[in-house]
Amino acid sequence: MRESDANRIRQLQLLATISDEAFAQITRGALVQTFPAGANLIYEADSVDFLYILIDGMVELQGHWHDKESTLAVLRPVSTFILAAVVLDAPALMAARTLSRSQIVMLPAETFRAAMREDPGFAVAVAQELSGCYRGLVRTIKNHKLRSGTERLANYLLTQQVRQGGGDTIELPYEKRILASLLDLTPESLSRAFAQLDKYGVAVTGSRVVIGNPAGLRKLARPNALIDNHQPPRGDVQGKAAKELWPLPGDRGCGMEVE
């Protein structure tokens, strides 16, 4: 592994406090590979021999049942995935494929678990990261079960607005079919939801979305800190645990309420 790649992943909260000796241990057998768009990285039920860290590109996590598939998450750098399966030495519950040309660091799972046993501080960091993943899952379940499709889309657009700098024009980061699946909608339902947002000043041209009435959109979306995480960007190296430490006490963020 190049020193630049090692330094980059070391900035992740998951690896920030690991001892130098343990870090050298888990990276000694690491692989750094570049994959083209559409490459299948993991299939459901696969044995997991590596922890994956996305350092460039974009990866989709999917679930499948018979002839159906659903997008569970879309990852941007720098992100880990399949962490729970690595910790438990259990089969993967999700499939993963690249949505664009992607560079991925692969840390050997066995040495990762050994480092957890030997470095208590690292074990705590892993527990914190898994807790962040769990809280993110709870947010997703609440969003899907308690809101209409139009409300889910409205909050998604508010999230992107914050993460893309707060302007009135944003770019959808991936295809609309993937966005629909991510929001638990059919492509047709997504189109209807966009049409319903027209009255709130939302205009869509291809992947470009103009939010002409942000206050009206927030009024419809009613973002809530117990469901949403409209976190402003704080650099590209942060894990799930770090994201769950926002908002800070008293920080309402993007017009959010705490009920």
Side-chain angles (χ1 to χ4, degrees):
M1 179 190 301
R2 295 180 304 179
E3 183 177 355
S4 59
D5 293 332
N7 291 338
R8 193 171 184 195
I9 67 171
R10 187 67 186 267
Q11 295 177 56
L12 280 166
Q13 185 177 10
L14 176 66
L15 299 172
T17 60
I18 190 172
S19 68
D20 292 341
E21 180 181 353
F23 185 74
Q25 177 185 354
I26 66 173
T27 56
R28 188 170 298 121
L31 303 175
V32 182
Q33 296 190 11
T34 300
F35 297 90
N40 293 310
L41 305 172
I42 303 168
Y43 293 96
E44 288 173 306
D46 274 356
S47 296
V48 178
D49 298 322
F50 296 93
L51 174 69
Y52 292 76
I53 305 178
L54 175 67
I55 60 174
D56 189 38
M58 189 162 24
V59 167
E60 177 186 15
L61 302 181
Q62 298 176 311
H64 301 84
W65 176 248
H66 295 299
D67 60 343
K68 297 180 180 179
E69 67 177 37
S70 181
T71 301
L72 304 177
V74 177
L75 306 179
R76 306 295 292 267
V78 172
S79 300
T80 63
F81 55 103
I82 317 296
L83 176 59
V86 167
V87 172
L88 294 175
D89 192 13
L93 296 181
M94 301 179 290
R97 72 181 183 97
T98 57
L99 291 178
S100 63
R101 186 176 182 273
S102 300
Q103 189 172 34
I104 295 174
V105 175
M106 302 163 65
L107 302 180
E110 182 54 46
T111 54
F112 188 91
R113 289 189 291 269
M116 287 178 57
R117 292 189 291 267
E118 296 166 6
D119 186 333
F122 178 47
V124 170
V126 173
Q128 290 174 332
E129 188 69 9
L130 289 172
S131 297
C133 294
Y134 171 78
R135 286 175 62 87
L137 177 61
V138 171
R139 291 181 186 277
T140 298
I141 293 172
K142 291 173 70 175
N143 189 42
H144 287 182
K145 286 185 172 290
L146 300 176
R147 286 173 169 159
S148 69
T150 302
E151 290 170 334
R152 296 198 295 275
L153 176 59
N155 276 284
Y156 175 84
L157 295 178
L158 291 177
T159 299
Q160 291 302 313
Q161 183 184 36
V162 172
R163 294 181 181 176
Q164 294 184 30
D168 292 340
T169 300
I170 63 174
E171 290 286 335
L172 298 178
Y174 26 79
E175 298 175 30
K176 289 178 183 175
R177 65 174 183 83
I178 294 176
L179 174 58
S181 186
L182 187 65
L183 296 177
D184 197 25
L185 298 169
T186 64
E188 295 77 17
S189 296
L190 179 65
S191 294
R192 288 193 292 270
F194 268 119
Q196 290 172 10
L197 293 183
D198 180 71
K199 68 183 76 172
Y200 298 95
V202 174
V204 187
T205 304
S207 63
R208 178 166 295 184
V209 180
V210 176
I211 302 175
N213 182 6
L217 188 64
R218 283 195 295 272
K219 186 175 180 180
L220 168 69
R222 292 183 295 173
N224 185 287
L226 301 180
I227 300 176
D228 307 295
N229 196 343
H230 298 323
Q231 178 182 331
R234 295 183 177 182
D236 66 342
V237 182
Q238 57 182 318
K240 292 291 187 180
K243 291 178 181 179
E244 279 300 320
L245 294 176
W246 184 95
L248 301 174
D251 186 351
R252 296 169 65 86
C254 193
M256 291 201 293
E257 301 173 353
V258 179
E259 298 176 348

